[in-house]
Every structure is written in structure tokens, then in C-alpha cells.
Amino acid sequence: MQHAPEPVPASYASSTVELGDLKRILVRRRFLIFATAALLTLVTLLYGLFTPALYSSVAEIIIDPQDLQVVTNDVNPSRVPPDGGITMVESQVAVVQSTGVLLRAIQATNLTEDPEFNGQGGLLSHLLGSGSAETEKTANTLDALRRRLAVKRADKVLVIDVIVTAKSADKAAKLANAIAQAYLADQASARAQAATDASKSITARLDEQRRRVQQAENAVEAYKSANNMVMAAGNLVSDQELTEINTQLSAAQSRTAALKAQVDQLRRSGAPDATSEAMRSSVISSLRAQEATLVDQVSQLGTELGPRHPSMIAAQQQLRDTRALIARELARIAAAAETDYERALANQQALEAKVAGMKSKSLDTDQASVRLRELQRDLEALRSVYATYLQRAQETREQINVDSTNARIISDAMPALKKSWPPLPLLLIGALFGGLGLGTGMALIAEYSSPTVLSRAQMESAIEAPVLGVLPAKTARRRWWPFGRSAAPAGEKTDAVAGLALRRLFAASRRPPNWPLVPSILVTSPPQDAAQRGRVARLLANAAAARGSRVLFIDSNTGSGKKEPQPGLLDVLRGEYAFEALSQRTPGSNVAVLGGGRPKAGVSEAQGVYFTQHMLAQAGHSFDLVVVDGGALADNLNVSPLVAMVDEIVLVATLNATPMHDVTAASQAISVMGRLPTAAMLVDEAA
């Protein structure tokens, strides 16, 4: 007994989900997706229609990190932080929402009497009674206001937005402005309180500082009195006198040195007329000029009149007299220099003696001065601290009534013209897209909880055999999916895919050259793909016939119709009828049809294989190809002899419709019969 050769299995890529697979999942589950989106949109619409409208108003406050510099030493620091004040302004966002600020706003607007905020307007409060305590009402109002309040700071700005939401636009604007004003008042109050506390603390220290200064002053005066130390202008009188006499002595020593140098010069040179005093003397200068005139005159007269002329003699006498006067004047200058030097030397000696006496007296008070200076330093330090305290106390008292906060409202809240909640268009758009996303997620969950055949790669990985082609649906329908491309007419495309699949199938076949049986193909599928299986089997038969091959089409599905089944395949496998007697060729066609036969009795395995081999051998005389619609092999065990003898076993499945576990079951049924699927054909209902 001969069997068909087994094809060599090839390795296939693991199953992956591609974009086209996702498209088929969404198309198949579109009703779930649309229903989810519609339901969520309807719920959102009802919520938007029946929810009371809320209005939001915004008040804007700008805060300068550097406060107003009212006084030099402000109690509140005004330095700008390294981050430009962003951290400080962020802290003020929390201050605006603080209990103290909100309580100020509640008190200013009498918000505890508003049923919208005090919790007294609800059905539960009416059932429980409205006799709540005042503190409980305030707490409820505070909690309600916090829920309706939002304080934000935009990025990179020092402006705080105070946003309040209420059922009334006017009420929302009123509350936003009240909170902004309450914040400014709270800041002013906090700074005034800080200045008050500082002033009180400093004032309390003033009396003690004043007492310490008085004690230090008394200690200084008592010490000076005990040591007979007279002070003038903050210094000892003896020290002042010694300083003055030292100054006079220095001047006297300088004068004496200068006069001594002059006298020494006169003594060394022996020519008084060469000294600087002679050069500066006006008398000497006048006499020198007169001498020069007389010298010129004598020279002129000696030339004109001769040496014995009376005029010449008179002029010479005048010249001698003038020179005598110059000599006497120079002698007088030299004598005066000697006298001045002696007088300066005597004055210097007198001052030196006086300084020496005062120095000996000053040495007696030096030890006492050391202690006095120490007492004076303590006194000056205490006076400085006392003055600082006194000035600081005055400054802090003035700061109590001065607001140095550099914050102001730059935009008052205005009543909103449109409601802020619910934003129905935005909610509807969000609900629509959210519903589509939720529906898509549910569709994917539903799909992967019960996976179907999604792609060629997945099918090839499941059965470890190639997919010959993907056939479009039998009826051409208008594509609703927006990403699809226009395709060729359904009939042309189907025939082309079937013909190409047939060629690929036998191009990969490993039939021996002299194999005695006719080439054969068995088409099978899971039970729910019966219609597509029969269609694929007929398409393969028609494709072979269209190319001139003589084809025998065997339909192994017996069914349970009302008519009495005619003899067919089962009768041939049981040996009751000859194959040639039952095969019927359609007039004008290359296709002959053999029915399933009468299922009145089962077919044994050995008998079935024998008659199957005989039938395929006889068919080789009249036909070029046998195509068998093998049905669902798990339910049609009578065709197991055909499974053992046919050349190719093609498994048919529908994309995004056939469950993967059915594909696995069909593949296992084939393996139980001793074979493996050699190929697969897919049907795409979305094509």
C-alpha cells in the first residue's frame, strides 16, 4: 500500500498582531465600541442637563518679593531670594487658602447664613433639624468654601489667581474679591503684630540698658576723682599740655637747627655776602645796584677825563663809600644771625627742661590711665548699645501703623457670563472619545480572551504550514472603514487568488515523478466555516478547470436532507460501487462531481484506504486533479482514508472570525489521522 509523501515542515515566524489585525478586530467588534461610546455619551448628556450650573470668578493678586522699604531696619526682611521670589509666592498660595484668611472672608460676606455653603440647604439637614451650633455652622461653611476655592500661580509669574465657584455668578465674584481683600488684611495685620511684638520686646530692654549706662558713667567719674585726673575734651589736661609743649619743642628745635646751619655757613665761608640772608636783603641789593652804577661811571670818566680829573676823583670816593656801607651791612647781618641762634638755642633748652619735668609727672598717671581707658571703653560700648535700642524702639513703634506689604489686587473678580460647570460640549467630546477608547479596550479584551485568526503569520505559526492566499468575501460590500483602498471586482480578485494559491500549492509539492495516483487536494475547516470551505474547494476546482485541467470534485458532506442520498464517495469506499459508474462530468465543463454517498454503514480504515488508493489510481486515467471537500474532519471520520492518501491538505479559516482553538482542534484532528496540514487558505470578510 502506498501513501502520499509528507511535505518537509518549514519554520514560521511567531504570531504577532499587526495594524491590519487591529483593524479587523475593531471592524468585527464595532457594535460593542459604538454602543459603549453612545452609552457613555448619553450618560454624560443627562448629567450635563440635570446638574445645576456653577459659575467661576477670578481675582488676581500680584506679590512683589521685595517689600516696600519704609525704614532702614525693617522688622520684615525685604531681600529678594535667589530664586526670584517664586518659593515665597508659592508659600503665599498656601496662605490665601489658610483658615485665618478664609474666616475673614466668611465673616466679611456673612457666608455662614448662605444655605449653599453652610450645609443647611440639603434634604439631610432638614431631616436632622437645623439647630446646629454656631461653631459647627462655621466649620461646615469653611469646608464648603475650601471645596469651591482654587488658588493657583501661573508658571514664571508672581501673580496669584483666586478662583471661587458658586451657583451664582455674582456670589462667586463677591467671594473671590472678599478672599483677596481678606488676604491683604491678614498680611497687614500679621506685619503689624510682628512690629508690635518687636517694639514691646525692645522697650522692655531699654530700662536695663539705661541703668547699665548710668553705672558705667558713675564708675568713670569716681575713678577720675580718686586719681586726680582732670579731663578736657575727653583727654587728660596734663596729656594735652605735654602734647602742646612737645609741639613747641619740635618747632624750636627746627628753628635752632636752621640758625645753627646759617651761622656755621658764615663761619666757614668768611664772606657774608655769599649767604642766602645777604642775597635776600633789600638793603644789600640796593647798595649792590648803586655800586654797579658807580663802577660804570668811574670806568666812563676814566676813559673820557683821566684819573686826576675832579669828577673822576669824586666818583671814586662815592664808590669807596658805597662799598664801606655794604661791608657794614654784611657785618650787621652776620651779627644778627649769631644773636638769633643764641636766642633760639636758649628757648630750646628751656622747652626741653619743661618737657622733662612734665614727662616725669605724666609717668605717675600712666598706670591710672590704663584702667580709666578700660572704663571709658565699657562706657562707650554701653552707650552705643543703648542708642541702638532706643532708635530701634522708635522705628518699630512707627512700623506698627505702616503697611510695608508690596501686594495688591490687579484684577477684581467680575461676574462670569458663562457657566464653568458642567462644560457640556467638552464633556460630550471627552465622553465620546473616552467611550470609543473604552469600547476599543473592551473589544480587545473580548478578542484576546477568545482569540480568533488575525493574520497570515498567526495562522502559519499555529499550523506550521504556509498560507496560500487570502480570499475576499463572496459578496462585494461597500467598505465603511476609512483606511481601506478600492479593490478590484470581487470575482476577478477571487479567481486570481485561487489560481495563485493552486500554483503555489503544487510548486511546493514533493510528489515523486512516477507516483501512480492522481494529484489530489483535500480541503477541510472547523465546523463553523463550512460555507467558506465549500466555496474555497469549488474555487480551487474552477481555477484548475479554467486552465484546461480535468478536475474531479468530491463533496464528502452527506448531510441529512429530505431527499434520499444518492450513491457517492462512501459507497465507493465501501466497495459497493465502481468509481467510474458514479463520477458525473458536467456538460460543457472540465469538472466532474462525485457526491458524499449514503451513510448507511461505516467505512473500515483498511478497506477505506484500499478503495481510496484504487479510486485515485482510476481517476488518474480521466482526470488531472481531484479536489475533495473533506468537511470538518473532527465530525467526519469517514473521510480519514482520504486524509492518508491525498497529496495536499488545505485548512480553511475566516480572518477575525474563526476561533484559534477551533483551528488548533482541526489541526489536531488531522494529526490524529496521521497527517499534518500542508497549507491554509484564509477568507477575509472585510475585504
Side-chain angles (χ1 to χ4, degrees):
M1 184 179 296
Q2 296 176 321
H3 298 274
E6 292 291 338
V8 178
S11 61
Y12 298 95
S14 61
S15 175
T16 57
V17 178
E18 302 174 351
L19 183 61
D21 305 336
L22 180 62
K23 169 186 172 181
R24 282 186 285 272
I25 293 174
L26 298 182
V27 169
R28 184 185 176 201
R29 308 275 181 176
R30 60 184 178 276
F31 297 109
L32 174 61
I33 298 173
F34 292 150
T36 304
L39 179 60
L40 190 58
T41 304
L42 178 61
V43 171
T44 303
L45 178 62
L46 295 176
Y47 170 80
L49 294 177
F50 291 100
T51 300
L54 297 177
Y55 298 87
S56 297
S57 293
V58 183
E60 296 180 342
I61 305 173
I62 186 171
I63 300 176
D64 192 343
Q66 187 171 3
D67 294 332
L68 299 175
Q69 191 70 30
V70 180
V71 294
T72 304
N73 296 320
D74 201 331
V75 173
N76 303 291
S78 59
R79 296 185 299 271
V80 178
D83 61 353
I86 298 299
T87 304
M88 189 270 288
V89 176
E90 284 290 347
S91 301
Q92 297 305 307
V93 171
V95 173
V96 175
Q97 305 176 80
S98 64
T99 301
V101 173
L102 297 184
L103 288 178
R104 283 178 180 267
I106 291 173
Q107 184 178 3
T109 57
N110 197 23
L111 197 61
T112 54
E113 303 302 325
D114 191 338
E116 182 182 351
F117 288 89
N118 62 11
Q120 303 298 315
L123 177 61
L124 182 60
S125 62
H126 286 294
L127 294 177
L128 297 177
S130 57
S132 59
E134 188 67 24
T135 55
E136 183 179 354
K137 183 186 294 185
T138 302
N140 292 336
T141 304
L142 182 62
D143 291 341
L145 183 58
R146 287 186 189 278
R147 290 193 297 270
R148 300 291 185 89
L149 172 66
V151 182
K152 302 178 180 178
R153 182 191 67 83
D155 189 23
K156 298 182 181 179
V157 297
L158 303 178
V159 177
I160 294 177
D161 295 336
V162 181
I163 308 171
V164 178
T165 303
K167 294 181 180 179
S168 170
D170 294 333
K171 185 189 298 183
K174 179 181 177 182
L175 288 176
N177 291 327
I179 293 174
Q181 294 292 343
Y183 165 74
L184 297 181
D186 179 80
Q187 291 297 294
S189 175
R191 291 173 180 270
Q193 185 62 41
T196 301
D197 295 341
S199 178
K200 290 180 179 179
S201 178
I202 295 173
T203 303
R205 296 285 298 169
L206 277 177
D207 293 336
E208 182 180 354
Q209 293 297 327
R210 187 183 297 110
R211 179 179 56 79
R212 294 178 63 183
V213 170
Q214 290 176 353
Q215 291 177 353
E217 289 177 344
N218 293 334
V220 171
E221 295 301 327
Y223 187 81
K224 290 193 295 185
S225 177
N227 292 275
N228 195 21
M229 303 174 71
V230 180
M231 306 293 292
N235 296 317
L236 292 173
V237 174
S238 59
D239 291 343
Q240 293 180 2
E241 291 178 352
L242 181 59
T243 301
E244 291 175 358
I245 292 175
N246 277 327
T247 302
Q248 294 175 9
L249 178 59
S250 297
Q253 289 174 345
S254 299
R255 178 171 174 76
T256 301
L259 291 174
K260 185 177 185 303
Q262 183 179 356
V263 170
D264 292 341
Q265 183 182 9
L266 289 173
R267 290 174 181 175
R268 286 193 305 270
S269 63
D273 57 342
T275 62
S276 59
E277 285 76 9
M279 299 297 291
R280 291 194 299 268
S281 175
S282 60
V283 176
I284 295 299
S285 299
S286 175
L287 291 174
R288 292 290 187 190
Q290 186 176 357
E291 180 185 12
T293 303
L294 290 173
V295 169
D296 292 339
Q297 186 178 1
V298 169
S299 298
Q300 186 178 3
L301 289 175
T303 303
E304 294 177 356
L305 302 177
R308 296 184 178 275
H309 192 276
S311 298
M312 178 65 177
I313 296 173
Q316 290 176 346
Q317 185 61 39
Q318 290 179 358
L319 178 60
R320 285 191 294 271
D321 293 339
T322 301
R323 288 176 175 172
L325 290 174
I326 291 173
R328 285 196 297 271
E329 183 63 24
L330 291 175
R332 188 188 64 77
I333 290 174
E338 291 284 350
T339 303
D340 291 340
Y341 169 68
E342 292 175 356
R343 188 182 298 115
L345 182 60
N347 183 40
Q348 175 183 342
Q349 293 173 352
L351 289 174
E352 288 176 349
K354 189 174 183 179
V355 167
M358 294 189 70
K359 282 184 177 180
S360 61
K361 182 180 178 181
S362 178
L363 291 175
D364 298 335
T365 60
D366 283 345
Q367 295 298 326
S369 298
V370 173
R371 176 59 181 165
L372 177 62
R373 285 192 293 271
E374 182 179 353
L375 293 175
Q376 288 176 338
R377 285 193 297 269
D378 293 341
L379 176 60
E380 292 301 325
L382 291 173
R383 283 176 177 172
S384 176
V385 173
Y386 176 71
T388 302
Y389 267 81
L390 185 61
Q391 180 183 2
R392 193 66 174 145
Q394 295 291 340
E395 290 178 349
T396 53
R397 278 195 293 269
E398 291 299 325
Q399 291 180 46
I400 295 175
N401 300 320
V402 176
D403 183 12
S404 60
T405 306
N406 198 6
R408 61 188 177 90
I409 300 175
I410 59 175
S411 177
D412 290 325
M414 302 294 292
L417 299 178
K418 297 181 180 180
K419 62 181 180 180
S420 61
W421 188 265
L424 191 56
L426 184 61
L427 290 179
L428 289 177
I429 293 175
L432 177 60
F433 285 99
L436 291 175
L438 179 61
T440 301
M442 294 174 62
L444 293 176
I445 292 174
E447 179 67 27
Y448 287 105
S449 63
S450 178
T452 58
V453 178
L454 296 178
S455 64
R456 299 172 62 113
Q458 186 183 28
M459 187 67 177
E460 290 174 347
S461 176
I463 66 173
E464 297 184 354
V467 174
L468 301 177
V470 180
L471 291 169
K474 184 176 181 180
T475 57
R477 293 174 294 185
R478 181 179 178 84
R479 297 173 181 265
W480 68 271
W481 186 259
F483 304 107
R485 296 180 298 174
S486 59
E492 297 179 7
K493 183 174 181 179
T494 301
D495 294 341
V497 172
L500 183 60
L502 196 62
R503 294 190 62 180
R504 292 182 58 188
L505 186 64
F506 284 100
S509 177
R510 294 180 177 270
R511 284 174 55 89
N514 298 322
W515 188 250
L517 305 183
V518 66
S520 56
I521 302 173
L522 186 143
V523 181
T524 184
S525 72
Q528 67 269 27
D529 292 319
Q532 298 296 350
R533 180 190 66 240
R535 176 170 171 255
V536 170
R538 288 176 173 79
L539 286 173
L540 293 176
N542 290 333
R547 287 159 178 77
S549 298
R550 296 168 298 170
V551 181
L552 173 62
F553 180 80
I554 301 176
D555 186 358
S556 66
N557 300 288
T558 56
S560 59
K562 296 181 180 179
K563 296 182 179 180
E564 182 68 22
Q566 299 297 318
L569 175 63
L570 294 180
D571 299 282
V572 174
L573 296 182
R574 287 193 298 266
E576 297 177 359
Y577 283 86
F579 164 72
E580 294 84 354
L582 298 180
S583 60
Q584 300 177 2
R585 185 185 300 273
T586 303
S589 173
N590 289 335
V591 179
V593 179
L594 178 63
R598 298 172 297 178
K600 60 180 182 179
V603 180
S604 65
E605 183 71 19
Q607 182 185 19
V609 171
Y610 172 78
F611 285 109
T612 299
Q613 184 180 11
H614 184 269
M615 178 186 68
L616 294 178
Q618 293 297 322
H621 300 298
S622 303
F623 300 98
D624 300 317
L625 177 66
V626 174
V627 178
V628 182
D629 182 357
L633 295 182
D635 301 332
N636 191 10
L637 298 179
N638 289 326
V639 298
S640 59
L642 288 173
V643 174
M645 300 305 300
V646 295
D647 295 320
E648 307 292 340
I649 301 176
V650 179
L651 182 60
V652 176
T654 304
L655 283 174
N656 208 32
T658 304
M660 283 300 300
H661 63 81
D662 288 348
V663 173
T664 304
S667 179
Q668 291 176 350
I670 297 173
S671 65
V672 168
M673 296 179 184
R675 296 289 299 278
L676 292 174
T678 59
M681 289 288 291
L682 299 179
V683 178
D684 189 359
E685 293 183 344

